[in-house]
Amino acid sequence: YKPPDSTLAFWGVILGAVVAFIYFMQWRAMDQAMKIDQRAWLKFEAYSDAPGGGQLPNYQIQFTAGQPITYPLRVENIGKTPAKHIAMKIFMDIMDSTQDVPLDRVEGAVVGSPYPFGLIQAGIIFPSQDFKQLVVRPAKGGSPLMATDSEVRSIGDNSGYFAIYGIITYDDVFNTPHWTRFCKCGAGNGTFMAEKCTKYNSVDDN
């Protein structure tokens, strides 16, 4: 029995479509792997301006009553291509040692929200380059919020701790959006609620 030509043609079309689909999926997987390998990755840390530089641990940040609380921010691109359209939302708090960092503030952070935050924007950061800025804890209206006597005492007697947290959003050269969530806490030698802060640190998998 010889199948009609139309049947052969039908199955030929099906086979061609299957082969094309397999090639497409292989190409897409390779393209995605290439983009992940070549993408930008932004890293958040404190940075010392002392001779030799290097990363500055949170416990070395100084607090003085009546003075602004500042943090020497460094954002570095450790990826292979530039990061573009960078925006950072940054919160700073001195927390009671029995309290968790209020990370839920980050998701609802908009200008004019009840909890002031720093908003920093940068046009582009090239690979192996960084962005540095001294960040100041803001009050409502944007002016610096001074450290109080009780806050400084809490750091000194280990009944409180310092926390800086937020999110960095940016695009890569393929116009794929990305984010880096960060939370760092510490100061003194006391114990504090750090588990949620530590787990908050994450990056997207786009």
Side-chain angles (χ1 to χ4, degrees), residues 13-164:
V13 169
I14 295 298
L15 179 61
V18 170
V19 171
F21 177 76
I22 292 173
Y23 279 127
F24 169 76
M25 295 301 293
Q26 290 176 334
W27 170 84
R28 191 170 71 167
M30 292 173 60
D31 182 65
Q32 182 67 14
M34 181 274 295
K35 288 180 178 179
I36 292 175
D37 177 69
Q38 295 294 317
R39 62 165 283 189
W41 296 89
L42 294 188
K43 176 184 177 183
F44 178 98
E45 64 185 12
Y47 196 77
S48 173
D49 287 327
Q55 185 174 352
L56 179 69
N58 282 345
Y59 63 79
Q60 291 185 6
I61 296 172
Q62 302 299 311
F63 305 93
T64 304
Q67 297 297 319
I69 295 176
T70 60
Y71 188 91
L73 163 73
R74 179 191 185 197
V75 176
E76 181 184 8
N77 184 355
I78 59 174
K80 296 182 179 180
T81 51
K84 309 182 296 179
H85 312 140
I86 302 146
M88 293 170 262
K89 297 178 181 179
I90 304 171
F91 290 81
M92 286 190 282
D93 287 307
I94 293 182
M95 308 295 302
D96 186 276
S97 60
T98 62
Q99 294 179 317
D100 284 313
V101 180
L103 299 169
D104 57 328
R105 295 178 181 177
V106 177
E107 296 304 320
V110 295
V111 175
S113 60
Y115 304 103
F117 61 92
L119 180 60
I120 300 175
Q121 295 179 314
I124 190 169
I125 301 178
F126 289 94
S128 301
Q129 293 189 353
D130 58 27
F131 172 90
K132 295 179 183 178
Q133 183 166 325
L134 189 65
V135 181
V136 179
R137 181 177 67 162
K140 289 184 178 180
S143 59
L145 180 59
M146 305 302 175
T148 65
D149 289 331
S150 61
E151 286 179 326
V152 175
R153 280 197 305 271
S154 73
I155 297 295
D157 64 18
N158 297 320
S159 64
Y161 66 97
F162 169 75
I164 181 166

